[in-house]
Amino acid sequence: MERAIGKAERLLQIESLLLSYPEGLTQAEIARRIGVNRSTVHRCLPDLGRFAVHEMEDGRLAIDRDHYLMNVRLTLHESMALHLAARLMATRSDKQNPHAAAVLRKLGLALEKLAPRVSAHLKSSAEVMEDQAQRFDPVYLAVLETLTRAWSDGRVAHVWHKMEDGRVFDYRFAPYFIEPYAVGRTTHVIGWRRPPDALRTLKLERIQRAELTDEPYSIPDDFDPREILADAWGIWYTDAEPVEVVLRFHPRVASRVRETQWHRSERLEEQADGSLLWRARVAEPREMLNWIRGWGAEVEVLAPEQLREKMREEARRLAQTYGWDVHHPTPADQVDQEHRFFDEFFGSGA
């Protein structure tokens, strides 16, 4: 019994040691560090497979981090929090992600006895995430896995990125942070790009290929994604001062607007007629356009003027698309006609 306990402890020692040395260690180095003979380490080799330990070409032992199983103990409510996060990702992504599905399935199996009803839904969610109705994009998955490994190991990646105009450029890229973007159902990576030797954000869906290099990198101590994205509506950030956005919401939707905090800087002002003034300081107001469009005629952009003019122009184009002959001899008439068009088109005039 003592021998078995001693061996189990040695296995845990080797596991912990190799986790601290992702580049691997020789059997002699492992033996020296844990204070045993090299032959003792050699006898442990058949049992190290459970920790995803493999022997590299140069004889060093290392943990295969892509297949290493981490021991995580969760409460019922912590499991539900993870379930909600994975489900949110599933409903905001059009691509299959077998890793997310595997997480839900493992959670479901772990909760079979403790919470069978929750367990059943977790396993069902895993099946939904693997549904062929979702688009399987092997390039996206390979890029995500490569950048995850680069971020984890601190190794620069070589990426080939396609611009909106179709041109493809290749860069050396050091990932600092990977961020999902619910609005566009996309994923973005923030990191240091060469060229131009500056912080940049790349959309994963536009990266056609990614390869790991042996070049190491470190993330600056002062890099904080929370600070960078603090004023962003989603993923767009800027070094300039944030812009104040002012919106007026119709009384019909005022209560719905109040139910959700849409931005960390938002301020709400109740109006005498029941409408709601919404104010926030946003890094790039153009990123809000899809959200503003979604409210239709129930919202009016008051500031900034560039954003207001953008919505005016869209009102004119919508009117032309749906057969309205919009004449506006005066600015007041113009605004009135656009408002009436939006009211009728979006059914809010009743």
Side-chain angles (χ1 to χ4, degrees):
M1 178 63 71
E2 290 181 357
R3 181 179 180 183
I5 293 174
K7 185 176 183 180
E9 290 176 348
R10 282 194 294 273
L11 291 174
L12 292 175
Q13 282 182 309
I14 296 172
E15 174 197 22
S16 178
L17 188 62
L18 292 178
L19 284 173
S20 301
Y21 290 88
E23 70 279 6
L25 294 169
T26 65
Q27 293 183 39
E29 289 172 330
I30 294 172
R32 184 169 63 254
R33 282 173 169 78
I34 66 175
V36 298
N37 294 325
R38 179 177 174 178
S39 59
T40 302
V41 175
H42 186 75
R43 286 195 299 271
C44 290
L45 291 181
D47 298 294
L48 287 173
R50 73 181 71 169
F51 302 121
V53 174
H54 68 288
E55 188 171 0
M56 298 191 292
E57 292 182 359
D58 59 4
R60 286 177 298 158
L61 299 179
I63 287 180
D64 179 356
R65 297 182 176 229
D66 288 340
H67 297 94
Y68 174 76
L69 297 177
M70 294 172 283
N71 292 317
V72 180
R73 300 177 66 86
L74 302 173
T75 67
L76 172 65
H77 302 296
E78 290 167 345
S79 299
M80 179 54 66
L82 189 55
H83 161 66
L84 292 175
R87 283 289 295 164
L88 184 62
M89 183 191 73
T91 58
R92 291 295 179 267
S93 174
D94 64 343
K95 299 176 184 64
Q96 289 181 333
N97 189 325
H99 306 302
V103 167
L104 291 179
R105 182 165 287 109
K106 288 179 180 180
L107 278 174
L109 292 172
L111 291 172
E112 275 183 335
K113 293 184 178 180
L114 178 64
R117 294 183 183 86
V118 176
S119 170
H121 282 289
L122 286 168
K123 289 183 284 187
S124 176
S125 294
E127 294 175 4
V128 170
M129 295 186 73
E130 293 173 333
D131 195 318
Q132 289 301 317
Q134 287 190 303
R135 182 156 57 95
F136 177 63
D137 187 342
V139 174
Y140 167 83
L141 189 60
V143 167
L144 177 59
E145 290 175 345
T146 300
L147 292 178
T148 299
R149 167 61 58 223
W151 188 18
S152 171
D153 292 354
R155 294 161 60 190
V156 172
H158 190 180
V159 301
W160 285 258
H161 183 255
K162 185 177 181 179
M163 306 295 289
E164 288 189 71
D165 61 10
R167 292 179 299 164
V168 177
F169 296 93
D170 64 301
Y171 312 103
R172 291 284 175 143
F173 192 79
Y176 287 5
F177 191 70
I178 297 177
E179 175 80 352
Y181 188 33
V183 174
R185 299 193 173 203
T186 54
T187 309
H188 296 251
V189 56
I190 302 172
W192 194 260
R193 199 188 80 187
R194 304 198 314 267
D197 281 321
L199 197 67
R200 290 291 185 268
T201 300
L202 299 182
K203 184 178 180 180
L204 260 68
E205 286 78 1
R206 291 185 185 159
I207 299 177
Q208 298 187 324
R209 182 173 150 208
E211 295 178 356
L212 278 177
T213 73
D214 292 327
E215 180 185 352
Y217 77 92
S218 58
I219 299 176
D221 292 338
D222 61 354
F223 173 78
D224 186 347
R226 295 170 299 179
E227 180 178 339
I228 289 177
L229 298 174
D231 297 317
W233 182 254
I235 195 68
W236 294 12
Y237 58 88
T238 176
D239 292 332
E241 283 294 310
V243 177
E244 184 177 49
V245 176
V246 185
L247 308 176
R248 179 189 288 119
F249 285 94
H250 193 280
R252 283 186 292 268
V253 298
S255 62
R256 171 64 191 97
V257 174
R258 284 192 295 267
E259 287 173 357
T260 301
Q261 182 179 8
W262 304 97
H263 193 268
R264 74 178 189 101
S265 68
E266 72 176 40
R267 291 180 290 117
L268 306 179
E269 299 174 13
E270 305 283 348
Q271 303 300 295
D273 63 356
S275 63
L276 186 70
L277 279 189
W278 183 94
R279 300 177 184 271
R281 293 178 59 79
V282 179
E284 178 46 76
R286 287 178 301 165
E287 195 179 15
M288 301 176 64
L289 279 171
N290 284 338
W291 181 72
I292 293 172
R293 291 182 185 117
W295 293 99
E298 310 291 11
V299 65
E300 178 186 2
V301 178
L302 301 181
E305 182 57 33
Q306 296 92 330
L307 190 62
R308 180 177 175 85
E309 180 56 35
K310 174 69 175 175
M311 295 307 299
R312 281 177 176 168
E313 178 59 31
E314 291 202 7
R316 287 191 284 268
R317 294 204 309 269
L318 273 172
Q320 292 169 0
T321 298
Y322 288 95
W324 272 61
D325 185 16
V326 179
H327 298 289
H328 37 269
T330 68
D333 289 339
Q334 169 187 326
V335 173
D336 180 63
Q337 286 183 323
E338 289 168 357
H339 280 183
R340 285 191 294 107
F341 165 71
F342 266 103
D343 280 341
E344 293 194 16
F345 180 74
F346 288 101
S348 61

